[in-house]
Amino acid sequence: MPCVVFRAEDVGIAGYEDRETLDAKVTQSADRSDPPCRGERMNLGDVTDKSVPKMVLVAPLKNGGAVTVRRFIPHRTHATIGVLGAVSVATGCLLAGSGAAQVAQVPAGPRNTLSLSLSVEHPTGDMTSVLETDEDGVATSAALLRTARKLMVGIVYV
């Protein structure tokens, strides 16, 4: 899925604002820009009425992860972040010069470390992506680490 990852500071915000504030500030900025142009530059054609590319705002970590994110779907702030968004941002954290890499704190390790876990913070928690890399630190595969939690306890009477 094509994504545009941009730093919160580039649109004049911190990146930790609530949904209503982000909807007002970021979508106004996005509406003033030229959405079809983004699609053209990505060889997607006119994306005015489409939900691609996905827009992802990144900011420095706040709660111990690698990076803080907010995602827009397409013109509203997502309450959390989707699986694809989390994996895309985590991968972007390894791309030198990308918006995600500029604000992320990626743990340093030996060059021969071929597996890396990055926590992507979102408003209701975080998602941990597991990235496999080559010897140069370039991501070769990405997955999401998922956990289960108890949703309820019940008693059945027969």
Side-chain angles (χ1 to χ4, degrees):
M1 181 65 67
C3 295
V4 174
V5 178
F6 59 100
R7 298 178 310 169
E9 68 182 58
D10 290 339
V11 292
I13 58 176
Y16 315 110
E17 293 83 355
D18 60 38
R19 287 177 83 180
E20 292 73 26
T21 303
L22 287 173
D23 283 345
K25 289 187 176 192
V26 176
T27 56
Q28 283 176 356
S29 296
D31 290 343
R32 285 194 296 266
S33 66
D34 186 7
C37 181
R38 287 191 300 267
E40 296 289 335
R41 288 183 179 177
M42 298 175 84
N43 293 323
L44 299 173
D46 184 357
V47 295
T48 304
D49 297 323
K50 297 193 168 58
S51 64
V52 294
K54 303 296 186 192
M55 305 299 287
V56 183
L57 176 142
V58 293
L61 65 96
K62 189 174 184 180
N63 296 310
V67 65
T68 298
V69 301
R70 297 307 300 266
R71 185 164 165 247
F72 302 91
I73 51 169
H75 303 290
R76 173 120 167 80
T77 307
H78 195 291
T80 61
I81 189 168
V83 170
L84 179 66
V87 170
S88 297
V89 170
T91 304
C93 289
L94 301 182
L95 295 174
S98 72
Q102 292 174 21
V103 298
Q105 287 194 6
V106 177
R111 284 295 250 182
N112 60 356
T113 300
L114 301 179
S115 182
L116 178 67
S117 294
L118 293 180
S119 177
V120 176
E121 300 175 358
H122 56 82
T124 62
D126 66 87
M127 285 193 183
T128 301
S129 291
V130 179
L131 304 169
E132 300 296 324
T133 65
D134 63 15
E135 292 79 17
D136 296 319
V138 175
T140 56
S141 71
L144 196 66
L145 178 64
R146 299 296 293 239
T147 60
R149 61 186 163 117
K150 187 186 298 188
L151 296 177
M152 65 169 278
V153 174
I155 299 172
V156 177
Y157 297 95
V158 287

